[in-house]
Amino acid sequence: MFSHRPALSSTLALLGGATLMAPLAAQADALEQQRQDLEGFQVIAHRGASGHAPEHTWPAYDQALAMGADYLELDVHMSADGRLVAIHDTTLDRTTEGQGPVKERSLDELKTLDAGSWFNEAHPEHADDAYAGAEILTLDEVIDRYGQDVRYYIETKSPKDYPELQDALVSKLEAEGLVQSGSVVIQSFSQTSLKEVHDLNPDIPLVQLLWYSPGEDGQTLEEWTGVTPSPADITDADFQAIADYADGVGPNYLYDGQPVIDADFIDQAHANGLLVHVYTINEKDQMRQLLDWGVDGLFTNFPDRLKDVREE
Ligand code: G3P
Ligand code: CA
C-alpha cells in the first residue's frame, strides 16, 4: 500500500551534481521519512486538542503536542485581505463573539475577536480562565511558533470562496521549507482543490476527505461531493481515481451514530494503495474498533484518549 511518488528521485537524477546532492539528498530523506512514518499509525489532533481547549488556539495546539500527537490538524480560511487563518467554520458566529463570514473581515478585525470564551461556556468541565481572549491565529503565526518541529495536516476549507487559497498555501509551505522537510499533509473535501495542490507541488502528501450520509431514499449512502459511490458499491477503479492524485482517504466513521464504513472499505482502500485516516473519533470503543480494522490514523479531539487506547 501507499506507493511512493517518483518525483523526488527524478529530480535528484536530473540535478545530481556534487554540491547539489547533499542538500537535496537531505530533503529527499526528510520526505521519505515522512512517507515511511505515514505507513505507521498517525494521531491527528483535530483542531488541536480541541476536546480540552478552544479549537485552533495556542492552548489547543500546545496541549495536542504535549499529548504526543503526530499531526496538528488545521482548517484554513482566508481573511478579506488575503491572510490564511486557522478557523473551522465559514462564519465567525460559533467560535467567536463576531458574526458573519470570515472572508468579509480583515486580519486586523479578526484579531480583535475572542476565540476562547465560547469554549468555557460550552464546556465548563474543561473551562480555564486562560482560554478567554484567545486570538484567531494566522498560518504564519503557527508556522513561526512550531516551524519544522511539528507536522501539520492542513485542510483547504471552502476553496470556491477563495480561488487563490491553494497557491497562497503551497507558496507559504514551500517558502518555509515545510514540504521538503516532510512536515505537511494537505486534506480537502474538494477534489478540485487537491488536484490543484498536486499540480502545484506533487511532493505534498494529499488526503481526499469523504462524507457519507443517506441519500433521498434514507438508505443508500451517498458521498457529499460525489467523489465515490456508496461504500457498498465502491470499485477498485473508484479508489484508483483517487490514488491518481492523493495518498489516502479520510472518511467519516458514523452518520447519526451508525457506521458508514467497515473493515472491507479499509481493506479495499489499502489494496488500492491508499491510506485511511478516519474522522472524528473521540470515544475509546470507536477508537478500538477502527484500530482493529487496521486504519492508518485517526482524527481526534482527544489525543490523550487515543494514546491510552493504543497503549492498552
Ligand atoms: O478534516 C477532517 C475532519 O476535520 C473533517 O471534518 O468538519 O471537522 O473539518 P471537519
Ligand atoms: Ca478539518
Side-chain angles (χ1 to χ4, degrees):
M1 93 180 146
F2 189 43
S3 57
H4 302 297
R5 298 185 189 289
L8 266 177
S9 53
S10 304
T11 304
L12 285 171
L14 284 170
L15 298 176
T19 39
L20 284 176
M21 278 305 287
L24 282 176
Q27 292 168 357
D29 286 349
L31 262 178
E32 178 61 23
Q33 185 62 55
Q34 182 191 23
R35 292 185 175 279
Q36 284 181 20
D37 291 346
L38 281 167
E39 292 179 12
F41 185 83
Q42 304 300 302
V43 177
I44 306 158
H46 184 245
R47 315 179 195 175
S50 59
H52 293 278
E55 63 195 55
H56 294 311
T57 64
W58 294 134
Y61 294 155
D62 287 348
Q63 289 185 44
L65 297 172
M67 292 171 184
D70 297 297
Y71 281 85
L72 284 183
E73 199 247 356
L74 285 94
D75 303 296
V76 173
H77 289 261
M78 292 186 93
S79 65
D81 46 348
R83 301 293 297 276
L84 295 163
V85 291
I87 187 168
H88 175 270
D89 296 6
T90 304
T91 58
L92 296 161
D93 302 56
R94 181 178 62 87
T95 59
T96 78
E97 81 278 33
Q99 294 176 324
V102 175
K103 69 176 183 178
E104 293 181 2
R105 303 296 188 92
S106 69
L107 181 60
D108 283 349
E109 290 173 309
L110 294 175
K111 279 291 185 183
T112 66
L113 299 173
D114 175 352
S117 290
W118 73 273
F119 180 89
N120 289 345
E121 291 163 22
H123 304 284
E125 71 279 21
H126 295 296
D128 187 325
D129 289 344
Y131 298 161
E135 290 183 6
I136 292 175
L137 303 172
T138 64
L139 182 67
D140 289 5
E141 289 174 307
V142 177
I143 291 171
D144 283 350
R145 184 178 180 98
Y146 303 119
Q148 296 182 3
D149 297 335
V150 163
R151 283 179 168 154
Y152 311 91
Y153 203 117
I154 301 173
E155 179 176 353
T156 57
K157 281 287 189 197
S158 303
K160 283 183 182 165
D161 287 334
Y162 322 105
E164 68 276 40
L165 187 148
Q166 286 71 221
D167 194 45
L169 175 60
V170 173
S171 296
K172 174 65 182 174
L173 298 174
E174 289 177 343
E176 296 291 340
L178 292 172
V179 177
Q180 299 307 324
S181 64
S183 305
V184 64
V185 169
I186 293 181
Q187 49 163 339
S188 189
F189 287 101
S190 167
Q191 197 174 43
T192 303
S193 175
L194 290 180
K195 287 183 175 180
E196 184 177 344
V197 171
H198 184 61
D199 287 344
L200 288 166
N201 190 327
D203 286 335
I204 301 175
L206 303 180
V207 169
Q208 174 69 59
L209 297 175
L210 304 167
W211 167 250
Y212 294 110
S213 63
E216 283 185 6
D217 65 5
Q219 303 268 330
T220 309
L221 294 172
E222 294 179 352
E223 203 286 314
W224 176 32
T225 64
V227 173
T228 79
S230 166
D233 298 326
I234 288 183
T235 65
D236 288 345
D238 295 320
F239 276 127
Q240 283 300 315
I242 296 173
D244 280 348
Y245 60 90
D247 303 284
V249 291
N252 55 319
Y253 173 40
L254 301 175
Y255 179 83
D256 202 15
Q258 298 301 310
V260 296
I261 58 168
D262 57 16
D264 288 344
F265 176 97
I266 292 156
D267 290 346
Q268 191 178 3
H270 284 168
N272 285 283
L274 290 166
L275 301 167
V276 183
H277 293 166
V278 183
Y279 68 89
T280 298
I281 311 302
N282 295 323
E283 302 303 325
K284 287 187 172 182
D285 58 342
Q286 295 170 13
M287 293 173 180
R288 292 186 191 101
Q289 176 67 85
L290 288 158
L291 285 166
D292 186 54
W293 287 350
V295 298
D296 306 286
L298 294 176
F299 296 80
T300 181
N301 301 345
F302 295 94
D304 50 339
R305 288 185 194 168
L306 183 50
K307 183 168 183 274
D308 289 347
V309 166
R310 295 185 67 224
E311 290 174 352
E312 286 175 350

